[in-house]
Amino acid sequence: MYTVTLLLFFASIFVESVGAVQVLWTLSCVVHLLMPCRIAFGMAPRDSIPLNIGHFSERLGCGVLVMLGESVVSATLKYNSLHHTARSRYYAGLFFVFLLVFGLCLMFFHVRPPHHLHALRRSRLHAVSCMTMYEVLSACVLAIGVGVKRVMEHIIDDADASMPPFAVWLLAVGVSASLLSLFVLRVLHYWGRRSAGVEEPSPIKRLKAWWWALLGFGTVVPLIMTSMLSLVERAALTVVGVHACTVAVLLVAESCYVHYFFYTEPSSSVAKGAPLAAQADAHASLLAHHSLTSEQ
């Protein structure tokens, strides 16, 4: 199937029609996205190759990290042509870009679980969905890189002028879709998990449910803020600042949540005198993530 993907891309080189090129690229992407399904469901066990989940997870993390780094590079391409009157707003925009990219990077590596909790170990459906979401996340990160480049161009040229709607919504959709991809990856890795032999109090269950709701709502905040900005202004510095602050707030909230549960939940969720193995299991589960307990 990878051969079919490459052939479709190579065929687009010799096609002059823009519509035909778009069709070939779309078919190539569809075939590429179907590859995990072909491996998981279309191959006999004797023909499959065992997957090193730890190595696979590390390589995917390196790929996402490289693409996030390209977003930073795209923000610095016009530094040599920078006029001295635009330096202050340029560095302000660069700060927001760094904050946005660094926040997404921290969120991505926080979502990634230990090897024994990885979605690839849960089922074939979880594995296919996880690999597909990595592909979607990669496309979203590339969209963020293009949006960041357009933002920095407008900051250098005229920071007060309104950006074109397409550039504004490209960055907003890229950030929102990235947060949604990370949310789905959380669900694939952690949803329904619970510590063995540990019964969580009702307040803990409700707090975890509220936390999942907050994560889900956070995926649409960039779209809501962009819709509000469209009614007021679309200045480049404001656009990138809003998205960077949104990611930073979600990141700080998650850090506070994890640290709060690390210091409070083990004493309340693990019964006194419980075996050390149960306590260690509860601590490991909390450090990995705090999933919503499945209700019977």
Side-chain angles (χ1 to χ4, degrees):
M1 295 184 74
Y2 285 126
T3 303
V4 176
T5 301
L6 291 175
L7 290 176
L8 290 172
F9 266 117
F10 281 129
S12 65
I13 299 176
F14 306 99
V15 176
E16 298 182 356
S17 173
V18 176
V21 171
Q22 294 175 347
V23 170
L24 290 174
W25 284 8
T26 302
L27 291 175
S28 179
C29 293
V30 170
V31 172
H32 181 72
L33 290 176
L34 290 177
M35 175 61 72
C37 297
R38 170 71 176 84
I39 296 175
F41 300 107
M43 296 180 64
R46 63 177 182 275
D47 297 329
S48 60
I49 301 175
L51 179 64
N52 188 325
I53 295 178
H55 176 74
F56 180 77
S57 179
E58 291 293 336
R59 300 311 299 170
L60 289 177
C62 290
V64 173
L65 189 61
V66 168
M67 287 184 286
L68 286 171
E70 290 296 327
S71 300
V72 177
V73 172
S74 65
T76 61
L77 291 179
K78 285 197 171 184
Y79 177 79
N80 292 330
S81 61
L82 184 64
H83 194 267
H84 69 278
T85 58
R87 289 188 181 276
S88 59
R89 62 174 182 261
Y90 173 80
Y91 287 122
L94 201 60
F95 167 77
F96 285 128
V97 171
F98 285 167
L99 181 61
L100 173 64
V101 172
F102 184 64
L104 289 174
C105 182
L106 288 180
M107 294 178 71
F108 170 77
F109 283 99
H110 176 70
V111 168
R112 196 173 63 173
H115 300 163
H116 66 283
L117 294 177
H118 204 282
L120 295 178
R121 294 186 180 274
R122 303 190 74 177
S123 68
R124 290 188 178 185
L125 181 59
H126 281 84
V128 170
S129 302
C130 181
M131 296 175 67
T132 303
M133 290 313 303
Y134 274 113
E135 300 285 353
V136 175
L137 179 62
S138 300
C140 297
V141 172
L142 291 177
I144 292 176
V146 177
V148 163
K149 183 178 180 181
R150 297 293 301 273
V151 165
M152 297 306 296
E153 289 176 350
H154 281 80
I155 289 177
I156 293 175
D157 297 336
D158 189 358
D160 297 326
S162 295
M163 292 181 60
F166 176 78
V168 174
W169 283 103
L170 177 64
L171 183 59
V173 172
V175 174
S176 180
S178 297
L179 294 176
L180 179 60
S181 300
L182 293 176
F183 178 78
V184 175
L185 287 173
R186 293 173 191 268
V187 172
L188 294 173
H189 291 310
Y190 304 112
W191 185 271
R193 293 188 184 273
R194 58 183 302 174
S195 299
V198 176
E199 182 64 27
E200 296 173 338
S202 296
I204 298 298
K205 294 180 181 180
R206 288 195 297 268
L207 190 55
K208 289 184 177 182
W210 278 105
W211 176 242
W212 277 99
L214 177 62
L215 289 176
F217 177 72
T219 62
V220 299
V221 170
L223 301 179
I224 296 175
M225 298 301 295
T226 302
S227 300
M228 297 173 62
L229 287 176
S230 300
L231 302 176
V232 183
E233 63 173 341
R234 294 194 302 269
L237 195 59
T238 305
V239 170
V240 68
V242 165
H243 297 312
C245 292
T246 299
V247 173
V249 168
L250 291 174
L251 186 64
V252 172
E254 181 160 16
S255 299
C256 295
Y257 175 87
V258 171
H259 283 80
Y260 171 78
F261 268 88
F262 177 75
Y263 287 108
T264 61
E265 188 175 2
S267 60
S268 60
S269 61
V270 181
K272 292 183 179 180
L276 293 178
Q279 299 182 30
D281 181 68
H283 277 287
S285 177
L286 290 169
L287 287 175
H289 197 73
H290 302 282
S291 63
L292 182 65
T293 303
S294 57
E295 299 290 343
Q296 299 297 331

